[in-house]
Amino acid sequence: MREHQTIVHPLQPLFQADSKILILGSFPSIKTREYGFFYGHPQNRFWPLLERIFEESLGTDIEERREFLLRHHIAVYDVIYQCDIIGSSDSSIQNVVASDLSPIFKVADIKNIFCNGGTSYRYYRKYHEKKIGVESIQLPSTSPANARFSIDDLYNQWKIIKDNI
């Protein structure tokens, strides 16, 4: 049986002054931590979904993905900075230390916050919403664990982000 490990978030938030929307995940998966950038699991549908929404094609190059997000005024980070977790399982998360989102809001012109999945939404509401004073919109998770949603289902819900930039 696998045991909980205490993991500190290895990535910095991605944002700039003209970022208009913030997409928040829960906590980076093992594959994402190995890759070194957000949504690095090859089966995560985040990148194919954004490619479809913005009608662009991207490779797996981190710098290309960074530039894409910034060019489209999208900031990304996660709601959890540190936690005890088994593997990449959101349901195993314990002993949460919330991320500090204040640097993003000090610099960026964030108009809307979108949470990638229920875990992100739950922890955003618990740790961040009152402090920031901005409600978030929950979108279905792009994680491969969310097999209930097809790419078309995700697209129909996620295309709202383009209207909010």
Side-chain angles (χ1 to χ4, degrees):
M1 184 167 166
R2 296 169 72 180
E3 295 190 15
H4 281 86
Q5 287 184 290
T6 301
I7 308 287
V8 174
H9 202 302
L11 306 173
Q12 294 297 312
L14 178 72
F15 63 94
Q16 59 190 17
D18 67 352
S19 297
K20 300 286 183 227
I21 66 168
L22 172 60
I23 297 173
L24 291 169
S26 54
F27 192 74
S29 69
I30 291 171
K31 292 282 186 198
T32 290
R33 296 192 305 262
E34 290 170 355
Y35 174 63
F37 194 61
F38 298 95
Y39 305 102
H41 191 295
Q43 271 77 53
N44 193 300
R45 294 166 293 172
F46 181 83
W47 292 108
L49 193 56
L50 263 58
E51 287 179 88
R52 184 170 168 186
I53 291 167
F54 290 96
E55 301 173 357
E56 287 187 45
S57 185
L58 293 170
T60 58
D61 179 70
I62 290 173
E63 197 52 42
E64 182 183 8
R65 288 177 169 182
R66 283 176 54 85
E67 289 171 8
F68 170 86
L69 292 168
L70 295 174
R71 185 172 69 253
H72 289 290
H73 312 286
I74 299 170
V76 291
Y77 200 44
D78 293 304
V79 293
I80 299 169
Y81 175 71
Q82 177 183 309
C83 66
D84 296 342
I85 190 169
I86 299 172
S88 299
S89 170
D90 277 0
S91 63
S92 73
I93 291 173
Q94 301 175 346
N95 303 319
V96 167
V97 175
S99 296
D100 180 6
L101 301 179
S102 64
I104 299 170
F105 286 89
K106 283 180 186 157
V107 172
D109 186 26
I110 301 296
K111 303 291 187 205
N112 289 286
I113 299 170
F114 295 94
C115 290
N116 187 347
T119 303
S120 168
Y121 182 72
R122 210 165 36 257
Y123 284 109
Y124 177 80
R125 294 200 62 206
K126 181 175 182 175
Y127 293 110
H128 301 287
E129 191 172 82
K130 282 189 180 80
K131 194 183 304 180
I132 293 168
V134 178
E135 288 185 11
S136 63
I137 296 167
Q138 180 182 344
L139 295 171
S141 175
T142 59
S143 165
N146 183 18
R148 247 177 8 146
F149 280 79
S150 70
I151 192 78
D152 289 338
D153 295 333
L154 290 172
Y155 173 78
N156 288 331
Q157 301 245 355
W158 274 77
K159 64 185 179 184
I160 187 176
I161 68 170
K162 191 172 183 182
D163 298 333
N164 283 278
I165 295 177

